[in-house]
Amino acid sequence: GLFDTQPLWELLNRNIKRESLLNSGRILLAGVHSIKDNHFYTIRENDPEILKGTLASASIPGLFPIVKIRNNSFLFLIS
């Protein structure tokens, strides 16, 4: 990708704690597209990879790098 997502990753890790998110009663959904199997997935707040899913949901092809989650590569796809 053209831009580095490390600052966003650090911001997410610094401000969103999974335990606090789970105890908040709030719903967090991240929509991502797999380049491996060409399917759309929704990652929920109870998924251990929710922060990576949030990062992947901001990963626009060409601008930001793809995000690896559980042996799959995800990005945000505008259709």
Side-chain angles (χ1 to χ4, degrees):
L2 187 59
F3 297 102
D4 181 16
T5 55
Q6 188 62 34
L8 177 57
W9 178 247
E10 291 170 4
L11 179 76
L12 290 170
N13 275 293
R14 191 170 50 248
N15 292 293
I16 301 174
K17 300 302 176 205
R18 188 166 178 271
E19 187 72 26
S20 296
L21 179 61
L22 290 173
N23 292 331
S24 72
R26 302 250 182 198
I27 296 172
L28 177 62
L29 304 172
V32 295
H33 185 90
S34 167
I35 60 174
K36 184 177 180 181
D37 62 15
N38 199 31
H39 285 95
F40 179 83
Y41 292 92
T42 302
I43 300 175
R44 298 187 58 94
E45 71 280 347
N46 60 349
D47 189 308
E49 302 286 7
I50 186 61
L51 292 183
K52 281 188 178 181
T54 304
L55 186 64
S57 73
S59 188
I60 299 170
L63 294 179
F64 300 105
I66 60 171
V67 177
K68 298 269 188 190
I69 303 173
R70 289 189 293 271
N71 298 320
N72 209 333
S73 299
F74 292 96
L75 48 79
F76 174 75
L77 187 64
I78 302 169
S79 55

